[in-house]
Amino acid sequence: AVTSIRMPTKPPSGVRRSATRRCRPSSSFCSCIPELARCIANRSAIGAWESFQVDGQLTTGQTVGLRANQGTSGWVAAEWGGGGEVNANRATQSTWETFTVVKVAGSAGSAVGSGDAFALRTWNGANYVCAEYGGAAPLVANRTAIGQWETFTAVFVPRAYP
């Protein structure tokens, strides 16, 4: 399964093993455009660029890696391990390409399921991934607390793209 991550305008909803992130204020899906390697939350529909392969368990406290374009593009990285831009341009996964899952709300238990709200904390442990300006600007990992722009929802989609 592939997940699409988004940030809806209503209270958020969740991610799982593969996800597309949707960004909250704009109800837009997160996208990583291969030619630019930048991630932004400004898409209205799910396609290959809006789908991420999740490596790891989407459970609070667990670390995961995200590969853009259903796993066919680079690993998503928080530059400097947190505090800067979020790009999808790494050939291998290491510390900057590792995020800790933080379940924010939703179903009982620590596992993030479809419809649950979650955040991604960077490797440095001090920053969270943020859809800057509600998705109007590229993703960054420079927030020290979870708020509306740092809360994501997962939409599970079948792997439909090569």
Side-chain angles (χ1 to χ4, degrees):
V2 172
T3 307
S4 259
I5 305 169
R6 69 185 191 192
M7 296 180 79
T9 52
K10 298 178 181 174
S13 293
V15 154
R16 201 129 159 97
R17 183 144 173 94
S18 275
T20 293
R21 300 190 302 189
R22 186 152 205 166
C23 303
R24 186 171 204 174
S26 62
S27 284
S28 298
F29 290 94
C30 294
S31 176
C32 291
I33 303 166
E35 295 79 26
L36 303 177
R38 291 300 310 272
C39 298
I40 190 166
N42 66 356
R43 299 305 174 102
S44 61
I46 300 171
W49 292 355
E50 295 74 35
S51 299
F52 299 81
Q53 177 182 339
V54 180
D55 180 38
Q57 296 295 317
L58 288 173
T59 302
T60 291
Q62 296 297 308
T63 58
V64 297
L66 300 171
R67 286 198 68 186
N69 305 326
Q70 295 193 343
T72 62
S73 290
W75 289 93
V76 175
E79 299 299 341
W80 307 106
E85 298 175 346
V86 173
N87 296 310
N89 58 0
R90 299 306 200 285
T92 59
Q93 182 187 14
S94 188
T95 54
W96 292 4
E97 298 78 28
T98 302
F99 301 88
T100 301
V101 176
V102 178
K103 185 174 178 179
V104 177
S107 61
S110 61
V112 176
S114 182
D116 293 342
F118 73 100
L120 295 171
R121 188 172 55 230
T122 59
W123 171 79
N124 70 9
N127 300 110
Y128 293 90
V129 174
C130 172
E132 195 75 271
Y133 302 108
L139 298 183
V140 293
N142 63 2
R143 296 305 199 278
T144 57
I146 300 169
Q148 182 176 0
W149 293 350
E150 297 77 34
T151 303
F152 297 90
T153 301
V155 176
F156 299 101
V157 295
R159 187 177 186 105
Y161 305 93

